[in-house]
Amino acid sequence: MIVGEQKPVQEILQMVAPHRKFLILGCGTCVKTCFAGGEDEVALLASALRLASRKDGRPVEIEELTVERQCEDAFIAEAAEAVSRNEAVLSLACGAGVQAVARRFPRSPVLPGVNTTFLGVLEHQGLFTEECAGCGDCQLAVFGGVCPFSRCAKKLLNGPCGGSQEGKCEVDPDTECAWHLIIERLSALGRLDQLRAYVPPKNWQTSLSGGPRKLIRKDHVI
Amino acid sequence: MNTEPISNLHRVLSRGHFAVTAECGPPRGANGEAVREKGALLKGVVDAVNVTDNQTAIVRMSSISACKHLMDLGLEPVMQMVTRDRNRIALQSDILGAYSLGIKNILCLSGDHQRFGSHPEALNVFDIDSMNLLSTVRTMREQGKDLSGHALDGAPKMFIGAAANPFADPFEYRVIRLAKKIDAGADFIQTQCIYNLDRFKAWMDMAAGEGLTEKVHILAGVTPLKSAPMARYMAQNVAGMDIPEPLLRRMAGVPKKKAAQEGIAICLETLQALREIPGVHGVHIMAIEWENQVKTIVERAGLLPRP
Ligand code: SF4
Ligand code: SF4
């Protein structure tokens, strides 16, 4: 899923400062799962902002709404009336959702309330980790199912750097060294010899380096 | 690679001499004189001088230009090149440029992460890794082509080096990695500083067992300890650094004023022990901001004059 984190209230207050009446629009999919922008977070943020603005002596009117997904027009459409009633939209979706909402409502300022951070997994309750950089050419088969492009701080293709220590990454002792994991996993599978092979430079054309990407499924186009 | 030596370092190693290299860190500024001053201390003392490439991700004078300053003094540089800051286009371009200036040795590295450097907010590159860089330089040298397969107008015939850290984890994998580096193009290897001789010997044994010491020149890295706190700091904070406790205690056991002397003594003992390990073809002395001690060490080790 896409993982995000709500922006600090102070930053949000500055962003919404020009508006007296706005809509906080939540998203019920990824950012709900990571506690950044679902229904509950919309309600919490709304109360925090109401309180802060009352303290400032500049009360605001905040409407709350959460749609299933802000990255799909059919769901965004459900917000049309609420959007039209307000001066601006504070979207708690990922960056894609924020943009999709902005595209649908060209006359409303749409502001981001969440920092979209990565594509990751819920490792255990409350811990999310980055596991994919969306490179567009998945090489997990080469690396024993552990992605060095998203999980190694140096994107190394041919083994760990000299700083790998006790399974941790030199860049952050709280982060596992991806290469340690790759070696561990391939050893367990009895396939360590797989790492003897030279991995040539990655072709980054399928990644963002090649420009913004697009997926067209002709069989689904109507 | 049995023909004409590519560089002085190559000549020394291929004739079976015990090679000595040192390190020169370029200044954090445009002061070319600073490079020449450091270089002057190493002249006639070592076979080649490594010039670091924005080491520890701190902005410094470029490796290529510092190499040029050293060459003007008559020293032979080993240009270090990291893949952190340049993509494959810039790396190849700089290799061509460096060779055109007469730089004949290269050490291919991934580089320290910028997180601990002077610009932690920088975007890093890591388009290719050190293994890819080795292979790229070799392809350029041997096939006269760049990575795209385009024929070069003048191939850079460089003597190619790589780094190895015998002390990093996972230990068993370290030799596989060394073998890969040799296959990818490494002619010589410079290791991380060695304090733990037992562990280094175990690594060398594994390398010899795989026949790797026959295929590559291994230069063992040493760094003289300056003081007890520095030793302790390195042991605790430098990733992949293994300084055994007895050595730390030995440094702490001498009076402060004598600590530097003790550090040099340890370095000389290590050097002596390294010379006796089969497959060690030279030593790489990394005396960080202590270049004036290199001559003392090389002299006292009986390694002067240089061949
Ligand atoms: S190889 Fe690419 S697609 Fe596969 S997990 Fe890594 S970044 Fe994602
Ligand atoms: S320690 Fe491991 S994860 Fe971190 S940069 Fe080095 S190889 Fe990559």
Side-chain angles (χ1 to χ4, degrees):
Chain A
M1 73 174 130
I2 293 170
V3 179
E5 193 180 10
Q6 211 173 85
K7 283 179 177 287
V9 172
Q10 272 313 317
E11 187 185 341
I12 295 180
L13 277 170
Q14 275 177 15
M15 250 187 316
V16 297
H19 309 292
R20 302 269 50 87
K21 189 172 189 259
F22 59 89
L23 169 73
I24 302 185
L25 188 60
C27 176
T29 307
C30 306
V31 289
K32 176 190 159 106
T33 317
C34 61
F35 315 109
E39 220 161 15
D40 294 352
E41 291 75 36
V42 169
L44 274 170
L45 180 65
S47 345
L49 294 180
R50 281 187 199 109
L51 204 71
S53 56
R54 227 177 290 141
K55 256 199 196 152
D56 279 358
R58 304 179 70 233
V60 288
E61 222 179 288
I62 301 176
E63 186 174 345
E64 303 166 30
L65 179 71
T66 298
V67 296
E68 183 68 27
R69 272 199 290 285
Q70 288 188 35
C71 53
E72 238 180 282
D73 209 47
F75 295 111
I76 301 172
E78 293 167 15
E81 275 180 30
V83 170
S84 66
R85 283 196 291 272
N86 284 279
E87 290 170 29
V89 181
L90 176 65
S91 162
L92 296 193
C94 71
V98 176
Q99 295 182 64
V101 172
R103 195 176 307 161
R104 170 93 189 191
F105 307 112
R107 268 181 287 278
S108 287
V110 180
L111 308 165
V114 162
N115 291 323
T116 306
T117 39
F118 52 78
L119 290 186
V121 302
L122 172 65
E123 237 180 80
H124 57 72
Q125 191 61 19
L127 175 68
F128 303 86
T129 48
E130 178 161 24
E131 312 255 319
C132 173
C135 75
D137 179 20
C138 194
Q139 300 291 315
L140 282 174
V142 177
F143 304 110
V146 179
C147 170
F149 307 114
S150 52
R151 301 180 68 185
C152 165
K154 299 179 186 169
K155 297 192 213 120
L156 302 180
L157 299 154
N158 285 284
C161 75
S164 176
Q165 204 93 103
E166 282 158 24
K168 301 297 176 194
C169 173
E170 69 166 21
V171 170
D172 175 10
D174 290 332
T175 300
E176 280 168 301
C177 165
W179 271 98
H180 189 92
L181 297 175
I182 294 171
I183 292 164
E184 217 171 45
R185 196 167 149 79
L186 286 173
S187 302
L189 295 173
R191 310 276 307 266
L192 199 58
D193 57 313
Q194 199 174 315
L195 294 183
R196 187 66 178 74
Y198 171 73
V199 180
K202 182 166 172 66
N203 176 355
W204 291 106
Q205 285 183 94
T206 54
S207 80
L208 184 57
S209 269
R213 294 161 282 173
K214 200 177 269 171
L215 173 72
I216 303 170
R217 283 288 303 262
K218 287 215 175 82
D219 49 340
H220 285 263
V221 175
I222 15 180
Chain B
M1 293 258 320
N2 294 323
T3 48
E4 271 293 284
I6 290 176
S7 65
N8 182 51
L9 181 61
H10 183 207
R11 179 186 62 84
V12 169
L13 285 167
S14 57
R15 302 224 170 124
H17 300 293
F18 191 80
V20 181
T21 55
E23 198 157 291
C24 167
R28 294 181 78 169
N31 181 5
E33 196 44 42
V35 182
R36 289 190 289 271
E37 273 167 23
K38 280 187 182 177
L41 296 169
L42 301 170
K43 182 125 198 234
V45 174
V46 297
D47 306 314
V49 180
N50 281 50
V51 181
T52 53
D53 178 8
N54 295 297
Q55 195 181 10
T56 61
I58 287 173
V59 171
R60 292 173 182 277
M61 179 187 291
S62 74
S63 180
I64 295 182
S65 37
C67 283
K68 178 75 171 79
H69 289 300
L70 294 182
M71 285 192 300
D72 291 347
L73 288 180
L75 281 156
E76 175 169 291
V78 176
M79 175 178 67
Q80 297 196 175
M81 189 172 252
V82 303
T83 61
R84 176 193 61 226
D85 307 319
R86 284 167 283 188
N87 67 7
R88 63 191 83 181
I89 300 173
L91 290 167
Q92 293 180 92
S93 157
D94 281 347
I95 290 164
L96 298 177
Y99 189 74
S100 79
L101 293 172
I103 296 170
K104 298 200 174 98
N105 305 302
I106 182 170
L107 187 76
C108 302
L109 305 164
S110 306
D112 301 309
H113 196 270
Q114 78 279 4
R115 172 129 174 200
F116 305 109
S118 58
H119 296 60
E121 56 290 272
L123 179 71
N124 61 34
V125 180
F126 296 117
D127 172 22
I128 62 175
D129 68 8
S130 57
M131 202 75 72
N132 300 148
L133 184 59
L134 285 167
S135 157
T136 302
V137 188
R138 189 180 54 188
T139 305
M140 289 172 119
R141 177 179 82 193
E142 267 148 45
Q143 296 171 26
K145 287 181 181 159
D146 68 14
L147 260 184
S148 76
H150 186 87
L152 298 164
D153 175 11
K157 306 257 183 220
M158 288 193 178
F159 190 47
I160 308 169
N165 185 353
F167 309 106
D169 294 326
F171 189 64
E172 329 72 64
Y173 181 68
R174 289 290 145 188
V175 170
I176 300 186
R177 184 149 165 86
L178 176 66
K180 270 180 90 162
K181 286 196 170 176
I182 297 168
D183 287 351
D187 304 312
F188 70 96
I189 297 287
Q190 289 173 320
T191 76
Q192 168 73 288
C193 347
I194 297 156
Y195 298 100
N196 187 339
L197 277 162
D198 291 339
R199 199 151 174 213
F200 179 67
K201 278 184 199 146
W203 182 79
M204 283 298 291
D205 276 349
M206 278 171 80
E210 299 284 320
L212 302 179
T213 48
E214 303 288 312
K215 296 188 190 158
V216 78
H217 299 291
I218 295 179
L219 277 66
V222 291
T223 290
L225 297 166
K226 255 185 186 167
S227 67
M230 169 212 175
R232 183 65 65 189
Y233 177 86
M234 281 174 49
Q236 285 169 352
N237 298 303
V238 179
M241 183 74 65
D242 179 352
I243 312 183
E245 200 50 43
L247 271 193
L248 293 173
R249 278 204 297 272
R250 187 168 154 194
M251 284 302 289
V254 293
K256 234 186 187 166
K257 270 204 252 149
K258 297 238 164 101
Q261 252 179 38
E262 193 68 13
I264 303 274
I266 293 173
C267 184
L268 283 162
E269 289 162 27
T270 311
L271 220 162
Q272 207 46 53
L274 290 169
R275 284 175 78 174
E276 277 154 28
I277 301 174
V280 173
H281 292 179
V283 67
H284 178 50
I285 307 169
M286 293 165 273
I288 306 139
E289 296 307 320
W290 215 18
E291 287 80 2
N292 58 351
Q293 287 302 323
V294 175
K295 184 167 182 193
T296 315
I297 295 168
V298 180
E299 200 160 38
R300 283 175 57 189
L303 289 164
L304 284 185
R306 297 308 311 148

